[in-house]
Amino acid sequence: MALTAGMRLPARALLRAWAWLPGAALGRTEPAAGGGVGARRFGNQRVLVEPDPAAGIAVMKLRNPPVNSLSLELLTELVISLEKLENDKTFRGAILTSDCPGVFSAGLDLTEMCGRNPAHYAEYWKAVQELWLRLYTSNLVLISAISGASPAGGCLMALCCDYRVLADNPKCVIGLNETLLGIVAPFWFKDTLVNTIGHRASERALQLGLLFPPAEALQVGLVDKVVPEDKVQSTALSVMAQWMAIPDHARQLTKSMMRKPTADYLVKHRDSDIKNFVSFISRDSIQKSLQMYLEKLKQKKG
Amino acid sequence: MALTAGMRLPARALLRAWAWLPGAALGRTEPAAGGGVGARRFGNQRVLVEPDPAAGIAVMKLRNPPVNSLSLELLTELVISLEKLENDKTFRGAILTSDCPGVFSAGLDLTEMCGRNPAHYAEYWKAVQELWLRLYTSNLVLISAISGASPAGGCLMALCCDYRVLADNPKCVIGLNETLLGIVAPFWFKDTLVNTIGHRASERALQLGLLFPPAEALQVGLVDKVVPEDKVQSTALSVMAQWMAIPDHARQLTKSMMRKPTADYLVKHRDSDIKNFVSFISRDSIQKSLQMYLEKLKQKKG
Amino acid sequence: MALTAGMRLPARALLRAWAWLPGAALGRTEPAAGGGVGARRFGNQRVLVEPDPAAGIAVMKLRNPPVNSLSLELLTELVISLEKLENDKTFRGAILTSDCPGVFSAGLDLTEMCGRNPAHYAEYWKAVQELWLRLYTSNLVLISAISGASPAGGCLMALCCDYRVLADNPKCVIGLNETLLGIVAPFWFKDTLVNTIGHRASERALQLGLLFPPAEALQVGLVDKVVPEDKVQSTALSVMAQWMAIPDHARQLTKSMMRKPTADYLVKHRDSDIKNFVSFISRDSIQKSLQMYLEKLKQKKG
């Protein structure tokens, strides 16, 4: 099962699906404004890493304006940043957050899925899988500090963390809203959601493509804590301190015991999942839908 | 695992199990009062279908008085009505409700399981399986509007829907109360319940044969909304409108992703499940228990 | 997966892990003060069984002071007591409780895992497995009446029951806190927890080694009822009466349908689980950690 198009896909529904976005769902292929790689900060252009070696943690800020679309570049840089932190014994935890106001991440980048060739689609999908595998099974304690909208792939990244702090702002909606775009969340998005909020809540949320406002996200278990917007970072840090108090090795093995079966299932079906995605996304009907949607977004921006 | 008799089965416990029923748990083999098959209504004798082609939905009313016992005839007609709606592109959703006051459905019809031959038991059980498979994996949006008691098979039908609206009336109890009758819910009843309310709540509810009153049913997640009795239909319709807003194909694939593994498991074990049921229900001890129970019900009615 | 040591295991963390214990986590190898085996009471030295044949139930009191550590002797006697009750048709249910003030059970006995030989470790682990298998799949209705702390293996025993009543006392914390000791709960501890409180809550509770105070234990679903300390026994008895009203055979088959897959998984992997445990616990680093921890406890006591 992969992303699959709706047959009766109205353009209006597509637009409504991302109507909450402050900017647009268009990724930018040009580099983002410079994240300094200095003595105390490292990272790359789209992921700014602020290390706190004394505390053993780092803050990873997504910086792919306007809406942190998960472009191939962002995916790659995020995986590399994670890898660096995992391999550096200094770091035991990381906070995942956004440098773009109003949005955590808009999720997958539609421009990576439209008007390209099958090889590109396959490369892109493999990168999406890779990010999920890395985040979901990370040895680090991962906490997401969410001060903006988190639809689709944005929600997925949050779900991969060990703890989610959400700003108490009605614009900070979160959920896997793929059906609103006429597409279907891949099975591993679904598995991650079921592991977090259970089968029944997932069934309803996925079918309706629900984007939960903060209070509802908390109630259904999609996030663990809702706090005023200016307390999101400090709350994430104090929660991190609680997790840091646990011996690493025992915690990591426990996490692995909980998550490895879910991750292994994708690893086992990785190639067929890529094949499914490429075959789906290459369909004329899907390409036409995406094209139309991207045109509308451009007009809206212009 | 199939329905299996309790060894220390007191007749009093059996009677108590269905004591809440306004009428009795006896099915009627004679045809129910006529459901008109007119220009705007179709269906058959025991399932009245009221279509609203403009809205793309239909209301299916169970009409097998006194308590909508799931007789072989009702099962068959219900499956045929569902099939008709599924095959007619006009319809994208259906509301499942009852035409019998005070009861949604009393569940399986004991007269189909008592004093018949093995071939009949097998035919009956296959029809019960068929209804579950059809309802649970329906391409339609199914919403149950429940204004009466829903024990056992009645609860099962409700659980198969995508959304459940229950009347706020203490008589509107709902649950899989099989153990109260000394029998065991089949594994696919159990799977449907676990998918809805989780493992622990199912364990307790199934062992104790709990029939939940509205507030508790809502709290445990057995239903999605409890409203005053005269708002059940209108609430079901407005919830349906929300589901209708989602592109069909994406929603259907998502539903399938969530439910197909559970359905496939029965499909794979269908024959052995029938065999188990027939072997169980044919036991002398079970037949004697059922006979005794049916006698008591007749006396109560007479 | 078995108990596995933390690499950065601070002795302070270890001590904190059991700091709530009124006595210490040390098991006693000498026999406990005599549990009378009279006309109306039977059992053995460490498990006092008070039968109520008229009601069809028995109360099983753990008596292995100071903290009901699960020594090999206690494990063995508990399994024998359970077996006796299961084989005596007089009994349909049992209440599991503690005779040691302030503690339900401190869980596994560290002295059984420290300074012994591999054969002893294997024997001990097999006994722990055996207790879990017996409790989790017992034909009896098991209700735990918990008036003291229930960490680790103490929590596990409670989770195996059909219903848990907890005293409303902040000292009555309950949870699988293995990570605090730098160790990892075995997969079947994890499975039991997931079956009770779901995947997400388990993931957090297990990683953080959370010990839940009563109100939180109730909210997360770790226990079913919290009552004043002097009402724990009477509440357990009245809940038992509700469970006694259900025909045994149907209830037992239902319980088996819910729990057998989980139990079967350990049965299938029993030998490798023992091997993993022995190999882990025999490591020098683990033995040193445990030794150090036990020394500290002795000093604390002295």
Side-chain angles (χ1 to χ4, degrees):
Chain A
M1 179 66 60
L3 290 165
T4 316
M7 290 303 143
R8 308 179 183 180
L9 190 70
R12 216 179 318 161
L14 284 173
L15 275 173
R16 199 184 42 218
W18 281 356
W20 46 265
L21 275 184
L26 284 173
R28 284 171 41 154
T29 46
E30 64 274 46
V37 183
R40 301 194 48 83
R41 301 207 299 199
F42 65 94
N44 35 44
Q45 290 179 315
R46 291 168 190 82
V47 182
L48 181 65
V49 180
E50 299 177 347
D52 180 349
I57 67 172
V59 177
M60 303 175 76
K61 292 186 175 172
L62 304 183
R63 181 182 277 191
N64 194 27
V67 292
N68 284 331
S69 286
L70 296 170
S71 64
L72 188 52
E73 286 87 355
L74 178 54
L75 291 174
T76 310
E77 295 182 10
L78 194 43
V79 165
I80 290 171
S81 297
L82 260 171
E83 214 167 24
K84 269 191 199 163
L85 290 175
E86 302 244 11
N87 291 336
D88 185 338
K89 294 297 170 208
T90 315
F91 298 103
R92 304 169 55 217
I95 290 173
L96 186 63
T97 192
S98 163
D99 201 51
C100 298
V103 69
F104 180 70
S105 163
L108 302 190
D109 187 341
L110 298 187
T111 64
E112 302 281 8
M113 312 196 234
C114 188
R116 313 290 186 100
N117 60 39
H120 182 82
Y121 299 144
E123 186 190 2
Y124 182 62
W125 199 244
K126 197 170 182 180
V128 178
Q129 292 175 332
E130 189 63 28
L131 178 67
W132 179 76
L133 287 169
R134 286 279 171 173
L135 284 174
Y136 198 61
T137 64
S138 174
N139 270 332
L140 299 167
V141 173
L142 291 181
I143 294 178
S144 48
I146 314 169
S147 300
S150 305
C155 173
L156 182 76
M157 283 195 295
L159 290 177
C160 288
C161 293
D162 294 299
Y163 199 92
R164 289 159 282 286
V165 181
L166 182 64
D168 192 7
N169 180 330
K171 289 179 184 170
C172 294
V173 291
I174 182 167
L176 296 177
N177 62 328
E178 279 79 356
T179 56
L180 294 187
L181 290 163
I183 55 180
V184 176
F187 71 83
W188 32 290
F189 282 49
K190 179 262 294 177
D191 291 342
T192 312
L193 187 65
V194 170
N195 284 352
T196 310
I197 66 170
H199 192 279
R200 166 59 190 157
S202 297
E203 203 178 69
R204 183 166 163 260
L206 284 174
Q207 283 194 73
L208 293 175
L210 294 179
L211 288 169
F212 294 85
E216 293 178 30
L218 183 66
Q219 203 189 355
V220 80
L222 211 47
V223 300
D224 299 296
K225 202 153 198 145
V226 170
V227 298
E229 207 153 345
D230 60 347
K231 299 272 187 274
V232 169
Q233 290 293 333
S234 59
T235 303
L237 283 167
S238 70
V239 169
M240 180 63 87
Q242 187 195 5
W243 287 73
M244 291 288 105
I246 310 300
D248 278 333
H249 194 62
R251 188 193 54 72
Q252 289 162 352
L253 287 168
T254 302
K255 184 173 178 175
S256 170
M257 178 168 64
M258 295 300 301
R259 298 190 167 190
K260 199 166 176 295
T262 305
D264 282 352
Y265 194 82
L266 175 62
V267 170
K268 202 177 154 189
H269 297 91
R270 197 164 181 175
D271 288 340
S272 65
D273 185 56
I274 292 175
K275 226 155 102 180
N276 282 343
F277 172 75
V278 174
S279 134
F280 150 71
I281 210 73
S282 304
R283 286 190 211 163
D284 281 353
S285 60
I286 300 302
Q287 283 296 313
K288 211 158 26 179
S289 291
L290 293 176
Q291 202 78 48
M292 206 169 63
Y293 180 55
L294 289 171
E295 286 301 325
K296 296 253 178 193
L297 280 181
K298 269 181 201 159
Q299 285 167 20
K300 203 179 156 200
K301 282 177 78 182
Chain B
M1 179 64 60
L3 290 165
T4 316
M7 291 301 143
R8 307 179 185 184
L9 189 70
R12 217 180 317 161
L14 283 174
L15 275 173
R16 198 181 45 218
W18 281 357
W20 46 265
L21 274 183
L26 284 173
R28 282 171 43 153
T29 45
E30 63 274 45
V37 182
R40 300 194 48 83
R41 303 207 297 200
F42 64 95
N44 34 43
Q45 290 179 313
R46 290 169 191 82
V47 182
L48 180 64
V49 181
E50 298 177 347
D52 180 348
I57 67 171
V59 177
M60 303 175 77
K61 292 186 176 171
L62 305 183
R63 181 184 276 191
N64 194 28
V67 292
N68 284 329
S69 286
L70 296 170
S71 64
L72 188 52
E73 284 88 354
L74 177 54
L75 291 173
T76 310
E77 294 181 12
L78 194 43
V79 165
I80 290 172
S81 296
L82 261 171
E83 215 168 24
K84 269 191 199 162
L85 291 173
E86 301 244 11
N87 291 336
D88 184 339
K89 295 294 171 209
T90 314
F91 299 103
R92 303 169 57 216
I95 290 173
L96 186 63
T97 192
S98 163
D99 200 50
C100 298
V103 67
F104 180 69
S105 163
L108 303 190
D109 187 340
L110 298 188
T111 64
E112 301 281 7
M113 311 196 233
C114 189
R116 313 290 186 101
N117 60 41
H120 182 82
Y121 299 144
E123 187 190 1
Y124 181 64
W125 200 245
K126 197 170 182 180
V128 178
Q129 291 175 334
E130 189 63 30
L131 177 67
W132 179 75
L133 287 169
R134 286 279 171 171
L135 285 173
Y136 198 60
T137 65
S138 174
N139 270 331
L140 299 166
V141 174
L142 291 182
I143 295 179
S144 49
I146 313 168
S147 300
S150 304
C155 173
L156 182 75
M157 285 195 295
L159 290 176
C160 288
C161 293
D162 295 299
Y163 199 92
R164 288 159 284 285
V165 182
L166 181 65
D168 192 8
N169 179 330
K171 290 178 183 171
C172 294
V173 292
I174 183 168
L176 296 177
N177 62 329
E178 279 80 356
T179 55
L180 294 188
L181 289 163
I183 56 181
V184 177
F187 71 83
W188 33 290
F189 282 48
K190 179 263 294 177
D191 291 342
T192 312
L193 187 66
V194 170
N195 284 351
T196 310
I197 66 170
H199 192 279
R200 167 58 190 156
S202 296
E203 203 177 69
R204 185 169 161 259
L206 283 174
Q207 283 194 74
L208 292 176
L210 294 180
L211 288 169
F212 294 86
E216 292 176 30
L218 183 65
Q219 203 189 354
V220 79
L222 211 47
V223 300
D224 299 296
K225 202 155 197 141
V226 170
V227 299
E229 206 154 348
D230 60 346
K231 299 270 187 276
V232 169
Q233 289 294 331
S234 59
T235 303
L237 283 167
S238 71
V239 169
M240 179 63 85
Q242 188 195 4
W243 286 73
M244 291 287 104
I246 310 300
D248 279 332
H249 195 62
R251 188 193 54 72
Q252 288 161 353
L253 287 167
T254 302
K255 184 173 177 175
S256 170
M257 178 169 64
M258 295 300 300
R259 296 190 169 190
K260 199 166 177 297
T262 305
D264 282 353
Y265 194 81
L266 175 61
V267 171
K268 202 176 153 190
H269 297 90
R270 198 164 180 176
D271 288 341
S272 65
D273 185 55
I274 292 175
K275 226 155 102 181
N276 282 343
F277 172 74
V278 174
S279 134
F280 150 71
I281 209 74
S282 304
R283 285 191 212 163
D284 281 353
S285 60
I286 301 301
Q287 284 296 313
K288 212 161 20 185
S289 290
L290 293 175
Q291 202 77 47
M292 205 169 63
Y293 181 54
L294 289 171
E295 286 300 327
K296 296 253 179 194
L297 280 181
K298 269 182 202 160
Q299 284 166 22
K300 203 178 156 200
K301 282 177 78 183
Chain C
M1 178 65 61
L3 291 164
T4 315
M7 290 302 143
R8 306 179 183 183
L9 190 70
R12 215 180 318 162
L14 283 174
L15 274 174
R16 198 184 43 218
W18 282 355
W20 46 264
L21 274 184
L26 283 172
R28 283 169 43 153
T29 46
E30 62 275 43
V37 183
R40 300 194 48 84
R41 303 208 298 199
F42 65 95
N44 34 45
Q45 290 179 316
R46 290 168 190 83
V47 182
L48 180 64
V49 180
E50 298 176 347
D52 180 349
I57 66 171
V59 177
M60 303 175 76
K61 292 185 175 171
L62 304 183
R63 182 183 276 191
N64 194 26
V67 292
N68 284 330
S69 287
L70 296 170
S71 63
L72 189 50
E73 285 86 355
L74 177 54
L75 290 173
T76 310
E77 295 182 10
L78 193 43
V79 165
I80 290 172
S81 297
L82 260 171
E83 215 167 23
K84 269 190 199 163
L85 291 174
E86 301 244 12
N87 291 336
D88 184 340
K89 294 297 170 206
T90 314
F91 299 103
R92 304 169 55 216
I95 289 173
L96 187 64
T97 192
S98 162
D99 199 52
C100 298
V103 68
F104 180 69
S105 163
L108 303 189
D109 187 341
L110 297 188
T111 63
E112 302 280 8
M113 314 195 232
C114 189
R116 312 291 185 102
N117 60 41
H120 181 83
Y121 299 145
E123 186 190 2
Y124 182 63
W125 199 244
K126 197 171 182 182
V128 178
Q129 292 175 334
E130 189 63 29
L131 178 67
W132 179 75
L133 287 170
R134 286 279 171 172
L135 284 174
Y136 198 60
T137 64
S138 174
N139 270 330
L140 300 167
V141 173
L142 291 181
I143 294 179
S144 48
I146 314 167
S147 300
S150 304
C155 174
L156 182 75
M157 283 195 294
L159 290 176
C160 288
C161 293
D162 295 298
Y163 198 92
R164 288 159 284 285
V165 181
L166 182 65
D168 192 8
N169 179 329
K171 290 179 183 169
C172 295
V173 292
I174 182 167
L176 296 176
N177 62 328
E178 278 80 355
T179 56
L180 293 188
L181 290 162
I183 55 181
V184 176
F187 71 83
W188 33 289
F189 282 48
K190 179 263 292 176
D191 291 341
T192 312
L193 187 66
V194 170
N195 284 351
T196 310
I197 67 170
H199 192 279
R200 167 59 189 156
S202 296
E203 203 177 71
R204 185 168 162 259
L206 283 174
Q207 283 193 75
L208 292 176
L210 295 180
L211 287 169
F212 294 86
E216 291 178 32
L218 183 65
Q219 203 190 354
V220 80
L222 211 47
V223 299
D224 299 295
K225 200 152 199 143
V226 171
V227 298
E229 207 153 347
D230 60 347
K231 298 273 187 273
V232 169
Q233 289 293 332
S234 59
T235 302
L237 283 167
S238 70
V239 169
M240 180 63 85
Q242 187 195 6
W243 287 73
M244 291 288 105
I246 310 300
D248 278 333
H249 195 62
R251 188 193 53 72
Q252 289 162 351
L253 287 167
T254 302
K255 184 172 178 176
S256 170
M257 178 169 65
M258 295 300 300
R259 298 190 167 190
K260 198 166 177 295
T262 304
D264 282 353
Y265 195 81
L266 175 61
V267 170
K268 202 177 154 189
H269 298 89
R270 198 164 180 176
D271 287 342
S272 65
D273 185 56
I274 293 175
K275 226 155 104 179
N276 282 343
F277 172 75
V278 174
S279 132
F280 150 72
I281 210 73
S282 304
R283 284 191 213 162
D284 281 354
S285 60
I286 301 302
Q287 283 296 313
K288 211 159 26 182
S289 291
L290 293 176
Q291 201 77 48
M292 205 169 64
Y293 181 53
L294 288 171
E295 286 300 327
K296 295 254 178 193
L297 280 182
K298 269 181 202 159
Q299 285 166 21
K300 204 181 156 199
K301 281 178 77 184

